[in-house]
Amino acid sequence: MSILTSKDTRVVIQGGPAGVNAARRMAEFCHLSRIPFNVSAFVFPPDAGKTVEIPCGSTLVSVPTFSTVEEATKADPGINTSLIYIGPSRAYDGTMEALKDPKIKLVSMITEGLPEKDAKKLRIESERLGKTFNGPSSIGIISAGEARLGVIGGSYDNLVLCKLHRQGSFGVITKSGGLSNEIMWICSQFANGITTAIGIGGDTYPGSDFSTYLEMFENDPQTHAVVMVGEMGGDLEEKAAAWFAAKKRRIQLIAVVSGYCQEELPKGMKFGHAGAKEGLHGEGSARAKAEALQKAGALVPATFGGLGPAIKKTYEALLAGGKLTTVAEDAVPQNLPKTIEEAIADGDVFVEPLVKSSICDDRGDEPYYSGYPASELINKGYQIPHVIGLLWDKRLITPVESEIVKRIVMLSADHGPCVSGALVTIIAACAGIQMAQSVAAGMIMIGPRFGGAVTGAGTWFKYAVENKLSVDDFLSYMKQNVGPVPGIGHRVKSLRNPDKRVKELVIFVKSQKISTPHLDFALAVEEKTTAKKDTLILNVDGTMAAVLVDLGFKVEALNGFFILSRTIGLIGHWIDQNQQGSRLIRLFKYLANYVAPKKREVPPL
Amino acid sequence: MAKVLEGPGMGLLAKWGMPVPHYVVITEAAQLDALAKANPWLIESKLVAKAHEAIGSRMKLGLVKVGLDLDGAREAAKEMLGKAVSEVTISQVIISEMVDHQDEYYIAAQSTREGAELLLASMGGIEVEANWEKVRKLAISLGSEPTGTELEKLAKDAGFEGDLVGKVAQFAAKLYRCLDEEDGTYLEVNPLVLRASNGELTALDAVTMVDADARFRHPDWNFTFASEFGRPYSDNEKAILEIDTRVKGSVKFIEIPGGDTALLPAGGGASVYYSDAVLAMGGTLANYAEYSGDPPDWAVEALTEKVCSLKGIKRIIVGGAIANFTNVKKTFSGIIKGFRKAKAEGKMEGVSIWVRRGGPFEKEGLAAMKVLENEGFDIHVYDRYTPLTDIVDYSIKGVSA
């Protein structure tokens, strides 16, 4: 047995993400106690019609979201409890809605910062309707082994430690959320655990209060004693004392009250909860409350530290008096299923990886490029070319290599709006396409005829140098087996109209003290091909390819240098068109040569 | 509950039809001259000048001057503005007219669990405190209005006679309305006087407390709330208050100069038990502090720095019950950062730290705290198996269990 909430409780949670989090916690408790999940619905108008998936054990349960409590209780007429996770400005209306629903018997409000007047009105309305209104600012209610409303009880480990999967004999009523947990822990350490624990919230005017719940505990045969944690301020503890003293009670009462410090501190200094304040004329002091409770026959330890021994004493007396017998503990409660991450961390499972990565490790607090922390590279003055070297070739390139790579990137960053890549990006930009898609469209143009010959050129120059082919042998091999030599030839550039980019690059590379067999070979090839035809020069792709192979880059990486460089230009073109507010481009008809058949009649089908 | 200073408090009374003396709030003495051109009463009436700050016993501290003319008021304001009183600088002075009157009365309205109650006495000033049993009360249940008959009976019971009965009843009705409409928690008018010139009941002084949580439905509340403990907030307290308004969860901090034991506990409930335990063991509190509701680690770090900066402390109590959802590891990481910073600034000399906590990620949090043992901190770390406030006993007795 228990009070307020039991195995028959079915819950609607009113509110957004905080309510969903609570539902997850409640599902953990249901798993621990081996009972069905008891949250039937959410009421959250912005998400009405959607479902929320809550992990229950190793499965997911779909919980529907409605826009009103009425819809929720119609969908599941078993709903009898509502939890309020609505912000303070709308919590009053939401709670009223729940209280007025004939199916709802208990409303517990988690919301903090509800105006006092609203709390008072809700309590009075709930009493009129014969319902229970718990809170505001309540951490929740838990009946061991039967139901958990809210996050009361905390983490799964704590639920296990506090033996909350099965009923004990102690009821708990506290204002403080943290202390409700503490008392449940003490009851499990020093006695046999709890029946039901209730957080009533620390506001000035809580809904249902100590006396109401004491009366309920009195009528619950499973509960033999109640631990009550009070605070200075208000008169609820005095009322509880009056209730306890009114007649002979079956339950025993153990109570502590906080706020003695108020006697020695500046008057009016506010401590702890909103409700924890003495009256202006000294009413509601901790001492007065403790004395009232003691006089009423409650066991009142002088300090919080005395609570454990007092609970122990009460428990032992109950055992000695034959009211209780010790029962063997159930088997160890089941564990919460681990997430795959937890299981891996604990070494419980082996998972075959799906992807292998050998260049970058992001499992720490920053990426490591081929083992080097990115921040250290920055701080030690390394540059973008070094990052390229690390991610494309897994090595820290030398300063000379870095300078050459930098120059290659700078020289190929853009080549005006007319080349196919830029043109396509510009057309896309003018059609209102976003940056990523427009740039990607331009990049699709990179291939054998535009910018994509670097890998091809590198491959064949490397083949020639590796096999020590003469230029003539190479050219005839290419002619027979491959076709035109990649990296040789240009649409507009020629011997008389040389490509300045190539010239600059070659001069710089040759001025460095590095061995350049591939560049030398490529230049020798150019000498032969330009003798045949003026435009068969070593173009920028071919030059880059030869130089990069000389620097030791793998041929697979070579096209990347052009793609990377030209992306800078393509992004620039997209920004440029957007800033100009360019209009849609349409090809003029006179630029199209229409050679399709003339109009003719469509024959019958 | 939140206290409203005299100026805005008077404004609320006036808003609901209760006569109040003319008043102006100034931040510079010279403002009075321009104000006098628009407000003839500043020249025609005798004036009172008061420091407009949440400072207790203003009379004793010479922060109330009465019977002044405009020149006197200007002088008084000049003297008060910028003056430092117990670490607080006076930044506002309220100048009000002296109301010619004979008798003084007392009236208050306060929020109760069932609704509200009106308190009335036919004596005012300090006399009412000495004769508290003569105060008559009328309970008003929530959602109802006190009737004229009830209010007149209250006035008669309190000893009012003649046409004053009707006047007091009307004033009481307005005071109740003001309490109800403005989400007031306590409104006290003391003294309430009969203005000799027109026979109108006038509120000479008021204590105004409203429910800060109801601010969202009072867009016209253009005032900030004042502290309730007889002195304005210190800069350190203001800094934490400011953080508190911005973050999820809460961080609280109040300084108590001269104490030997600093508090850095979690939870509105547990923190008070820790305060009680310190005093029960014969220690003295250097502050009150509390964090709860899973606040961000940086907010807890800021709170820790303030706690470590308290002068003359011997020990810091990092206590807490078993948290429901506050992440112990995360909040402790804020505390640890704060401690390390304080140590680097030389603030932890001779200060011992006592830790007890449970809750989500308690093992990780406590382990991280224990690392400070190797960094030269005098730190003692306990887990859930040590009862909540036992660390206070250990810390003051100097015994480590």
Side-chain angles (χ1 to χ4, degrees):
Chain A
M1 281 285 286
S2 51
I3 69 166
L4 285 166
T5 184
S6 69
K7 283 182 174 149
D8 300 325
T9 296
R10 295 200 66 75
V11 181
V12 54
I13 295 180
Q14 295 176 250
V20 172
N21 178 53
R24 289 169 183 267
R25 300 290 173 191
M26 290 160 73
E28 288 180 5
F29 174 81
C30 294
H31 176 78
L32 171 79
S33 303
R34 298 172 196 270
I35 52 175
F37 184 44
N38 58 5
V39 176
S40 290
F42 291 98
V43 170
F44 188 56
D47 286 350
K50 296 182 188 167
T51 59
V52 179
E53 276 60 45
I54 304 291
C56 294
S58 54
T59 60
L60 280 177
V61 174
S62 280
V63 181
T65 305
F66 300 97
S67 56
T68 65
V69 173
E70 191 185 356
E71 286 167 20
T73 56
K74 207 168 148 192
D76 178 4
I79 291 175
N80 50 19
T81 299
S82 171
L83 302 184
I84 306 293
Y85 280 88
I86 309 174
S89 62
R90 287 170 295 109
Y92 174 83
D93 291 337
T95 308
M96 261 319 183
E97 186 189 343
L99 284 172
K100 284 183 176 157
D101 191 290
K103 302 276 186 212
I104 306 273
K105 305 285 178 257
L106 164 67
V107 182
S108 187
M109 183 187 283
I110 293 78
T111 309
E112 296 187 358
L114 185 78
E116 291 176 3
K117 192 167 150 188
D118 297 6
K120 288 196 270 185
K121 282 202 258 181
L122 289 171
R123 179 184 60 81
I124 290 167
E125 184 65 13
S126 67
E127 282 172 4
R128 196 180 67 77
L129 293 165
K131 299 187 175 183
T132 303
F133 170 57
N134 187 62
S137 309
S138 163
I139 189 69
I141 303 173
I142 189 165
S143 288
E146 301 195 344
R148 175 190 202 178
L149 305 178
V151 302
I152 185 170
S155 63
Y156 196 86
D157 293 347
N158 189 58
L159 301 180
V160 172
L161 281 170
C162 294
K163 303 188 178 102
L164 291 170
H165 63 289
R166 56 110 182 103
Q167 289 266 299
S169 306
F170 287 71
V172 178
I173 319 173
T174 70
K175 286 188 166 183
S176 153
L179 291 178
S180 68
N181 243 2
E182 192 68 30
I183 306 293
M184 290 195 282
W185 167 235
I186 295 175
C187 286
S188 69
Q189 269 185 301
F190 292 91
N192 66 346
I194 67 145
T195 50
T196 299
I198 307 149
I200 69 170
D203 283 18
T204 311
Y205 301 116
S208 300
D209 56 37
F210 292 134
S211 333
T212 315
Y213 294 136
L214 284 171
E215 183 75 40
M216 290 183 189
F217 277 127
E218 175 77 5
N219 294 319
D220 171 36
Q222 178 81 30
T223 303
H224 289 271
V226 174
V227 184
M228 195 181 99
V229 182
E231 295 180 339
M232 65 199 158
D235 60 357
L236 298 181
E237 291 80 0
E238 286 84 342
K239 283 189 173 151
W243 175 89
F244 195 61
K247 60 179 185 188
K248 185 162 169 44
R249 300 297 182 181
R250 184 188 60 81
I251 52 170
Q252 306 200 33
L253 181 60
I254 305 159
V256 280
V257 184
S258 68
Y260 290 90
C261 54
Q262 204 75 60
E263 294 170 6
E264 302 191 28
L265 292 173
K267 206 160 171 57
M269 185 166 278
K270 230 189 76 46
F271 267 27
H273 297 130
K277 55 173 191 261
E278 274 182 47
L280 292 163
H281 299 283
E283 315 90 275
S285 73
R287 195 168 298 279
K289 285 172 188 293
E291 278 167 10
L293 285 160
Q294 206 149 22
K295 231 171 121 188
L299 186 55
V300 185
T303 62
F304 196 89
L307 210 44
I311 289 169
K312 188 170 183 208
K313 195 175 130 195
T314 305
Y315 178 58
E316 282 168 355
L318 285 167
L319 285 176
K323 295 242 173 74
L324 280 181
T325 48
T326 47
V327 265
E329 285 294 340
D330 300 354
V332 181
Q334 59 182 341
N335 288 325
L336 193 64
K338 289 177 181 175
T339 63
I340 194 73
E341 282 87 356
E342 289 164 348
I344 292 170
D346 293 351
D348 291 350
V349 292
F350 170 74
V351 180
E352 180 90 32
L354 190 64
V355 172
K356 185 162 97 177
S357 171
S358 63
I359 57 168
C360 181
D361 190 335
D362 63 338
R363 289 170 298 179
D365 48 4
E366 64 171 323
Y368 293 177
Y369 301 150
S370 203
Y372 301 110
S375 62
E376 216 176 311
L377 290 168
I378 291 170
N379 293 331
K380 292 189 174 163
Y382 286 88
Q383 308 283 331
I384 290 175
H386 297 104
V387 174
I388 295 172
L390 288 171
L391 293 179
W392 294 8
D393 210 31
K394 301 186 208 173
R395 65 192 173 97
L396 266 181
I397 56 177
T398 65
V400 170
E401 290 169 334
S402 163
E403 182 59 29
I404 293 170
V405 168
K406 186 186 89 184
R407 286 173 183 237
I408 286 174
V409 172
M410 289 171 74
L411 288 171
S412 356
D414 196 51
H415 204 193
C418 302
V419 297
S420 50
L423 181 61
V424 169
T425 294
I426 289 169
I427 291 172
C430 292
I433 306 302
Q434 284 306 300
M435 180 193 277
Q437 289 72 26
S438 298
V439 171
M443 235 180 255
I444 286 170
M445 298 302 110
I446 297 173
R449 296 177 188 174
F450 169 65
V454 193
T455 291
T459 306
W460 293 116
F461 290 149
K462 194 170 183 215
Y463 175 80
V465 171
E466 258 172 20
N467 293 289
K468 300 193 172 70
L469 298 183
S470 68
V471 172
D472 288 333
D473 289 349
F474 172 69
L475 288 174
S476 67
Y477 175 87
M478 293 299 286
K479 194 170 181 181
Q480 276 173 23
N481 300 295
V482 182
V485 181
I488 295 288
H490 199 278
R491 180 87 180 259
V492 291
K493 298 286 176 188
S494 65
L495 263 189
R496 275 163 300 165
N497 173 24
D499 189 333
K500 194 141 193 289
R501 298 175 299 175
V502 171
K503 217 177 125 199
E504 286 296 325
L505 188 59
V506 170
I507 290 170
F508 180 75
V509 172
K510 295 303 289 178
S511 73
Q512 302 299 312
K513 289 191 186 88
I514 48 172
S515 138
T516 56
H518 298 90
L519 180 59
D520 297 344
F521 184 80
L523 290 168
V525 170
E526 182 189 39
E527 217 168 286
K528 277 268 160 62
T529 52
T530 47
K532 287 178 199 158
K533 198 179 174 198
D534 190 39
T535 57
L536 290 180
I537 53 164
L538 178 64
N539 62 28
V540 73
D541 289 13
T543 314
M544 276 166 64
V547 169
L548 289 164
V549 173
D550 280 334
L551 295 190
F553 281 98
K554 311 269 184 300
V555 289
E556 293 91 335
L558 301 187
N559 273 338
F561 286 89
F562 182 80
I563 295 170
L564 172 76
S565 314
R566 189 51 55 90
T567 303
I568 298 170
L570 296 181
I571 290 171
H573 286 294
W574 187 88
I575 295 170
D576 180 32
Q577 296 305 320
N578 269 269
Q579 286 185 337
Q580 294 178 42
S582 300
R583 299 175 59 188
L584 182 66
I585 291 177
R586 194 174 193 285
L587 205 62
F588 298 105
K589 289 207 177 74
Y590 56 77
L591 287 177
N593 179 11
Y594 297 94
V595 296
K598 294 266 179 295
K599 184 186 174 189
R600 49 186 163 165
E601 194 183 327
V602 178
L605 198 63
Chain B
M1 186 150 89
K3 188 167 182 163
V4 180
L5 283 180
E6 207 170 328
M10 287 289 190
L12 284 181
L13 294 184
K15 178 181 170 188
W16 293 97
M18 284 164 275
V20 299
H22 291 301
Y23 67 90
V24 289
V25 176
I26 56 170
T27 52
E28 277 175 45
Q31 290 168 338
L32 266 186
D33 296 313
L35 283 165
K37 285 176 190 148
N39 297 284
W41 62 266
L42 277 167
I43 296 160
E44 291 157 7
S45 315
K46 286 278 171 216
L47 304 173
V48 187
K50 289 183 249 185
H52 197 230
E53 301 284 353
I55 303 173
S57 323
R58 283 180 296 179
M59 196 67 112
K60 260 189 231 162
L61 292 167
L63 300 176
V64 179
K65 298 266 160 79
V66 300
L68 310 169
D69 59 9
L70 187 62
D71 289 339
R74 195 189 307 102
E75 278 314 301
K78 208 178 275 175
E79 194 186 306
M80 289 181 204
L81 286 167
K83 187 173 175 181
V85 181
S86 57
E87 292 177 45
V88 176
T89 308
I90 295 166
S91 61
Q92 293 188 337
V93 168
I94 182 166
I95 309 286
S96 53
E97 59 165 337
M98 287 192 77
V99 175
D100 200 13
H101 65 275
Q102 286 204 314
D103 296 333
E104 300 195 332
Y105 318 118
Y106 170 92
I107 188 165
Q110 69 177 347
S111 168
T112 64
R113 187 163 163 77
E114 298 304 324
E117 65 182 2
L118 279 165
L119 295 85
L120 187 65
S122 54
M123 64 201 69
I126 47 170
E127 216 183 322
V128 71
E129 292 291 334
N131 293 285
W132 193 246
E133 74 288 350
K134 292 196 177 152
V135 174
R136 292 291 166 267
K137 299 181 184 179
L138 173 66
I140 301 150
S141 56
L142 193 74
S144 71
E145 292 266 338
T147 64
T149 325
E150 283 173 326
L151 291 170
E152 283 180 13
K153 183 173 181 306
L154 174 68
K156 282 178 195 155
D157 289 350
F160 290 94
E161 290 171 351
D163 67 343
L164 253 183
V165 171
K167 284 182 183 174
V168 168
Q170 271 182 24
F171 193 95
K174 287 174 182 170
L175 190 68
Y176 170 72
R177 180 163 303 260
C178 178
L179 181 88
D180 193 42
E181 297 282 347
E182 296 290 341
D183 279 287
T185 55
Y186 186 75
L187 302 179
E188 181 191 83
V189 176
N190 186 21
L192 175 71
V193 303
L194 212 51
R195 190 190 275 266
S197 57
N198 62 2
E200 222 175 38
L201 280 173
T202 303
L204 272 203
D205 203 351
V207 177
T208 309
M209 298 205 190
V210 296
D211 181 359
D213 286 334
R215 180 152 223 157
F216 66 83
R217 57 185 173 217
H218 296 284
D220 65 332
W221 285 2
N222 56 2
F223 39 79
T224 53
F225 300 122
S227 81
E228 288 159 36
F229 42 86
R231 65 161 171 83
Y233 294 115
S234 68
D235 289 345
N236 284 335
E237 290 164 355
K238 276 189 203 153
I240 298 296
L241 266 177
E242 194 272 327
I243 292 174
D244 188 41
T245 57
R246 280 195 289 141
V247 298
K248 177 186 82 136
S250 83
V251 284
K252 301 268 187 284
F253 182 66
I254 298 170
E255 295 173 317
I256 309 168
D260 60 12
T261 306
L263 290 180
L264 185 49
S271 57
V272 185
Y273 280 101
Y274 277 106
S275 308
D276 285 356
V278 169
L279 297 175
M281 289 305 297
T284 49
L285 292 171
N287 73 310
Y288 170 72
E290 179 261 336
Y291 64 92
S292 54
D294 204 21
D297 51 355
W298 63 264
V300 185
E301 182 184 341
L303 179 64
T304 305
E305 285 178 49
K306 299 294 181 203
V307 168
C308 292
S309 303
L310 290 163
K311 300 252 164 21
I313 53 170
K314 291 187 190 144
R315 57 191 78 87
I316 300 175
I317 308 293
V318 186
I322 298 162
N324 288 286
F325 62 94
T326 296
N327 183 324
V328 175
K329 181 185 167 194
K330 207 162 62 64
T331 45
F332 270 20
S333 82
I335 294 180
I336 290 167
K337 275 189 210 156
F339 280 159
R340 286 190 175 135
K341 211 180 271 178
K343 187 159 192 296
E345 291 165 4
K347 288 175 183 162
M348 304 303 279
E349 283 306 310
V351 177
S352 58
I353 302 170
W354 302 80
V355 182
R356 187 273 183 186
R357 185 68 162 140
F361 302 97
E362 61 189 38
K363 282 196 191 103
E364 293 86 344
L366 292 166
M369 205 53 102
K370 240 175 147 32
V371 169
L372 296 184
E373 284 176 1
N374 309 323
E375 298 179 16
F377 284 91
D378 180 10
I379 188 167
H380 312 260
V381 182
Y382 300 89
D383 61 13
R384 61 163 69 215
Y385 290 92
T386 295
L388 189 78
T389 54
D390 282 17
I391 53 166
V392 175
D393 307 12
Y394 304 156
S395 75
I396 293 178
K397 282 188 200 149
V399 186
S400 185

